[in-house]
């Protein structure tokens, strides 16, 4: 405990300054982004729903948006993930049943970036090492020659007693949350100590702000060798600060052969991608576990089919009102499913099989928690298969045979459900404005009606205009000054004071024009001389005036 306190005290006394990484510090020098610190920053977004909704696609957007901001400012960086840091990406006050969701998101994002970065941005390299003490990582540091390392220090700007997430879940142990918070800071700052001991400065990813073309963040630099020796005598303390991984009871060789058999078995009736293959293999591996209920597994298969056949706009759903006990069972199933899927993605045989089979990597849309909960809710009511067309229902039956589950079609027929419907998922009843947003206006035309007759769409009936909407709008005042009326007949006469002000403004304007004209030159290159023009009505007076004013450079014209 004394060493932990000494380490935290050492970090608190380090000199730090807030700079622009692009303009004031690094420019286009290569630096390293520690992956789990990046994920912690993105996963800690309060708008990200992983507890009830499990919106995996939103998490992928947050990470890609951060990387895109770095690229837009012409930075040069690599991504590095450490296996021992995998649980550091889990935000504060996450319920135990939701922790595996973040680990699955981490595994999916690493796989997604590993596949797509070489083609979209070849300069961004992604590496995965066992730990910061790995000899392969030390060799990489020597070869890369990075200028500094960007990482998280585990700090949270919101005090623990004022964080609403801590009080949102009543079953959370505050002491346990505080202990995990201390462990996170300890592991991150131990890693920072290791980096700085090797001569690298640290740019903190927490507190980083985008300001136009600037990247404003805190840079921590400087370490005294005597201080380092008094804190860290050897490398055992760094390795002991890691967070242990969850254990799995899967046999890699058995699952490898299972993946290959499923790949050949479903290729005849389903477009196989990494998303569909991972869903089927994970459900098949879960078979026999207490949480692997057939209804949950059927809902997951339907969710997989829907995400491949529907657009995102049709998946704007609210989480259905599910009984508390059933919601707990649903969360336990998702936790086990996420744990199994994450373990599969981390295996080397998964990467080799997907690469050899040239499977599309579409894992960022692997699961939509709200869609899954809505489908299961409809299945639990006995009406879930209504949303499937006959084609999708046939695919569902064949997929259910692959993983040895039953979809209970007899139950639906007994209820009188024997009609195909659209492929759109059920709409949540808790969103009353959904119908208004997705309404279709009626349309009829003698020429188009015969061509559009096969299309049957329920349209919204026309509404009678209200009294407010029938009122004709008239713009009767100037857009910049509401007191100034546009009607010229309503213009009021100016007072003597207003006339004087208008004349003075005109005089200032004329003085500016005269000054500008004096700066111009004529066609011969000489300065323009001012010329006074006097208009007279009497012809005799004109002739007299011409003789008097020629010497004064005055032109006299007769008004006609």
């Amino acid at each position: 405990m004394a060493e932990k306190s000494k380490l935290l005290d050492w970090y608190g006394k380090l000199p730090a300054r807030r700079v622009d990484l692009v303009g004031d510090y690094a420019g286009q020098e290569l630096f390293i982004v520690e992956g789990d610190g990046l994920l912690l920053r993105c996963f800690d977004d309060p708008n990200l729903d992983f507890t009830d909704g499990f919106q995996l696609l939103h998490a992928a957007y947050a990470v890609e948006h951060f990387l895109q901001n770095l690229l837009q400012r012409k930075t040069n960086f690599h991504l590095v993930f450490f296996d021992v840091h995998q649980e550091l990406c889990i935000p504060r006050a996450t319920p135990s049943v939701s922790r595996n969701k973040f680990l699955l998101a981490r595994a999916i994002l690493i796989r997604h970036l590993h596949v797509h970065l070489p083609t979209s941005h070849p300069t961004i390299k992604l590496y995965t090492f066992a730990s910061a003490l790995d000899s392969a990582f030390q060799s990489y540091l020597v070869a890369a020659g990075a200028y500094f390392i960007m990482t998280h220090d585990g700090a949270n700007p919101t005090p623990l007693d004022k964080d609403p997430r801590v009080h949102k879940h009543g079953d959370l142990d505050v002491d346990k949350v505080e202990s995990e918070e201390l462990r996170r800071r300890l592991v991150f700052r131990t890693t920072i100590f290791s980096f700085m001991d090797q001569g690298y400065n640290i740019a903190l990813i927490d507190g980083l702000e985008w300001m136009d073309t600037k990247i404003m963040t805190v840079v921590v630099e400087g370490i005294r060798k005597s201080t380092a020796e008094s804190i860290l005598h050897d490398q055992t303390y760094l390795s002991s600060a890691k967070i242990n991984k969850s254990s799995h009871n899967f046999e890699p060789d058995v699952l490898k052969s299972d993946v290959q058999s499923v790949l050949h078995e479903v290729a005849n009736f389903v477009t196989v991608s990494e998303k569909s293959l991972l869903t089927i293999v994970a459900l098949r591996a879960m078979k026999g576990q207490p949480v692997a209920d057939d209804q949950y597994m059927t809902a997951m298969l339907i969710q997989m089919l829907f995400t491949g056949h529907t657009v995102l706009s049709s998946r704007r759903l609210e989480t259905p009102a599910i009984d508390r006990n059933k919601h707990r069972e649903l969360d336990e199933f998702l936790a086990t499913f996420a744990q199994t899927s994450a373990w599969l993605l981390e295996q080397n045989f998964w990467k080799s099989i997907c690469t050899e089979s040239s499977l599309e990597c579409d894992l960022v849309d692997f699961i939509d928690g709200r869609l899954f909960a809505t489908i299961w809710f409809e299945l639990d009511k006995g009406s879930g298969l209504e949303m499937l067309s006959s084609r999708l229902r046939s695919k569902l039956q064949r997929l259910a045979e692959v993983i040895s589950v039953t979809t209970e079609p007899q139950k639906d027929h007994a209820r009188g459900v024997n009609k195909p419907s659209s492929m759109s998922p059920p709409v949540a009843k808790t969103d009353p404005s959904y119908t208004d947003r997705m309404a279709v206006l009626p349309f009829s035309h003698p020429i188009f009606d015969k061509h559009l007759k096969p299309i049957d769409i329920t349209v919204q009936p026309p509404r009678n205009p209200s009294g407010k909407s029938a009122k004709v709008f008239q713009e009767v005042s100037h857009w910049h000054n509401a007191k100034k009326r546009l009607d010229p007949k309503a213009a009021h006469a100016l007072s003597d004071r207003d006339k004087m002000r208008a004349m003075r403004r005109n005089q200032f304007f004329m003085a500016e024009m005269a000054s500008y004209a004096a700066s111009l030159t004529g066609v011969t290159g000489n300065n323009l001389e001012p010329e006074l023009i006097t208009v007279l009505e009497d012809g005799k007076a004109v002739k007299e005036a011409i003789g008097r004013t020629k010497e004064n450079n005055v032109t006299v014209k007769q008004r006609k």
Side-chain angles (χ1 to χ4, degrees):
M1 191 65 186
E3 288 186 346
K4 296 179 182 179
S5 177
K6 188 181 296 186
L7 177 66
L8 296 179
D9 292 341
W10 163 83
Y11 181 79
K13 295 178 182 179
L14 286 177
R17 55 194 176 103
R18 192 170 183 83
V19 298
D20 172 23
L21 289 182
V22 179
D24 301 335
Y25 191 70
Q28 295 185 352
E29 292 289 337
L30 176 67
F31 63 93
I32 298 173
V33 178
E34 198 273 328
D36 290 286
L38 166 64
L39 295 184
L40 178 59
R41 172 192 168 95
C42 297
F43 290 169
D44 205 31
D45 191 335
N47 296 319
L48 187 63
D49 181 14
F50 261 42
T51 303
D52 298 325
F54 197 9
Q55 299 297 298
L56 183 59
L57 200 59
H58 295 177
Y61 169 79
V63 174
E64 290 186 351
H65 182 66
F66 185 93
L67 298 179
Q68 182 64 27
N69 280 330
L70 290 178
L71 290 172
Q72 287 179 347
R73 289 157 179 83
K74 308 300 182 183
T75 57
N76 183 19
F77 60 94
H78 290 173
L79 289 170
V80 173
F81 289 87
F82 300 111
D83 293 337
V84 296
H85 289 179
Q86 64 166 351
E87 292 195 3
L88 296 181
C89 67
I90 302 175
R92 170 198 283 179
T94 300
S96 58
V97 74
S98 300
R99 298 178 69 88
N100 285 327
K101 298 179 182 178
F102 289 98
L103 298 180
L104 173 61
R106 178 186 186 271
I108 285 178
L109 288 171
I110 292 177
R111 176 63 181 166
H112 171 72
L113 294 174
H114 179 77
V115 172
H116 295 288
L117 278 180
T119 55
S120 61
H121 299 91
T123 59
I124 303 178
K125 308 297 183 182
L126 187 146
Y127 300 94
T128 302
F129 301 100
S131 69
L133 301 179
D134 191 354
S135 59
F137 176 65
Q138 299 300 323
S139 301
Y140 161 75
L141 288 179
V142 175
Y147 187 57
F148 65 93
I149 298 176
M150 179 183 290
T151 185
H152 207 289
D153 67 349
N156 196 310
T158 306
L160 191 63
D161 56 345
K162 296 182 180 180
D163 195 334
R165 294 174 297 182
V166 177
H167 308 286
K168 179 181 178 182
H169 307 284
D171 56 344
L172 283 178
D173 186 357
V174 179
D175 294 336
K176 184 178 180 181
V177 174
E178 188 175 3
S179 176
E180 292 177 351
E181 195 81 0
L182 176 61
R183 175 182 289 186
R184 182 181 296 108
R185 292 200 305 270
L186 181 64
V187 176
F188 269 125
R189 295 178 189 187
T190 304
T191 308
I192 290 175
F193 182 92
S194 175
F195 292 152
M196 297 186 72
D197 191 35
Q198 299 179 67
Y200 292 97
N201 295 331
I202 303 298
L204 297 182
I205 201 171
D206 46 322
L208 183 146
E209 293 180 343
W210 315 105
M211 299 178 63
D212 298 329
T213 59
K214 301 179 180 180
I215 305 177
M216 303 301 299
T217 190
V218 174
V219 174
V220 183
E221 54 186 4
I223 181 173
R224 295 195 300 269
K225 191 67 176 177
S226 59
T227 306
E229 293 175 353
S230 63
I231 296 175
L232 188 63
H233 300 285
D234 53 22
Q235 295 180 337
T236 57
Y237 177 65
L238 180 63
S239 60
S240 64
K242 68 181 181 180
I243 298 177
N244 295 326
K245 297 176 62 175
S246 301
S247 59
H248 300 274
N249 297 321
F250 304 124
E251 293 292 338
D253 295 336
V254 176
L255 278 183
K256 179 179 179 180
S257 60
D258 198 26
V259 170
Q260 294 172 339
S261 63
V262 169
L263 180 62
H264 293 89
E265 191 172 351
V266 302
N268 297 327
F269 58 92
V270 173
T271 302
V272 183
S273 63
E274 287 199 40
K275 177 176 68 174
S276 58
L277 182 62
L278 182 61
T279 303
I280 298 170
V281 175
L283 292 177
R284 195 166 176 175
M286 291 171 56
K287 190 65 178 175
Q289 299 188 23
V291 297
D293 182 74
D294 284 1
Q295 200 170 66
Y296 293 140
M297 303 178 84
T298 301
M300 186 60 68
L301 290 176
I302 297 177
Q303 186 266 163
M304 180 197 72
L305 294 174
F306 266 139
T307 54
H309 291 81
T310 57
V311 295
L312 288 175
S313 59
S314 63
R315 287 158 50 184
R316 294 181 294 185
L317 305 171
E318 295 288 342
T319 304
I322 302 176
D323 179 75
R324 183 184 183 91
N325 295 329
K326 292 185 177 180
H327 198 286
R328 186 182 298 108
E329 295 176 0
L330 192 69
D331 287 340
E332 291 176 356
F333 170 80
L334 282 177
T336 306
F337 179 74
Q339 184 184 34
T340 306
S341 302
W343 185 86
L344 283 168
L345 288 174
E346 293 172 355
Q347 304 308 307
N348 292 327
F349 69 79
W350 177 270
K351 303 172 186 177
S352 61
I353 291 176
C354 293
T355 303
E356 293 172 0
S357 304
S358 301
L359 298 183
E360 178 189 1
C361 184
D362 52 354
L363 292 172
V364 289
D365 197 16
F366 178 61
I367 183 172
D368 185 339
R370 294 179 183 176
L371 178 60
F372 169 73
T374 303
I375 293 173
W376 176 86
F377 185 69
E378 296 296 327
L379 285 174
D380 192 54
K381 294 191 304 183
S383 58
L385 296 182
E386 292 183 33
M387 68 189 76
L388 294 176
S389 63
S390 57
R391 180 183 178 186
L392 289 183
R393 189 176 298 189
S394 175
K395 289 184 178 181
L396 175 63
Q397 296 295 336
R398 300 187 67 176
L399 289 173
E401 295 175 359
V402 173
I403 61 176
S404 302
V405 298
T406 175
T407 57
E408 298 182 353
Q410 295 82 4
K411 181 179 179 180
D412 292 328
H413 287 293
R415 293 174 178 264
V417 179
N418 193 20
K419 57 178 182 179
S421 59
S422 63
M423 289 167 49
S424 300
V427 178
K429 305 300 183 182
T430 57
D431 191 357
S433 62
Y434 189 87
T435 305
D436 295 336
R437 295 199 306 264
M438 302 301 295
V440 179
L441 296 177
F443 174 80
S444 178
H445 191 276
I447 298 179
F448 289 100
D449 284 347
K450 60 180 180 180
H451 299 287
L452 301 178
K453 188 176 181 180
I455 302 176
D456 185 14
I457 299 177
T458 302
V459 299
Q460 183 183 20
R463 300 179 179 178
N464 295 326
S466 61
K468 294 182 179 180
S469 62
K471 183 179 179 180
V472 179
F473 174 77
Q474 291 182 348
E475 189 174 8
V476 295
S477 61
H478 193 266
W479 68 274
H480 191 61
N481 188 355
K483 297 181 179 180
K484 184 177 180 180
R485 308 288 292 181
L486 296 179
D487 189 1
K489 297 180 180 179
H492 58 280
L494 297 176
S495 63
D496 294 339
R497 184 179 180 85
D498 293 337
K499 289 181 180 179
M500 182 185 67
R501 289 182 175 178
M503 185 180 297
R504 186 164 180 80
R505 285 195 300 269
N506 185 59
Q507 290 172 351
F508 277 118
F509 174 72
M510 293 302 297
E512 291 177 358
M513 291 294 294
S515 175
Y516 175 69
S519 65
L520 301 177
T521 57
V523 292
T524 60
N526 299 325
N527 294 334
L528 294 177
E529 299 293 339
E531 182 179 357
L532 179 63
I533 300 177
T534 305
V535 179
L536 300 176
E537 296 181 356
D538 190 359
K540 183 178 180 181
V542 171
K543 294 180 180 180
E544 295 177 355
I546 290 175
R548 293 196 307 270
T549 59
K550 282 185 177 180
E551 298 178 357
N552 298 327
N553 195 22
V554 177
T555 301
V556 181
K557 294 184 179 180
Q558 182 179 3
R559 179 177 294 174
K560 297 182 180 179

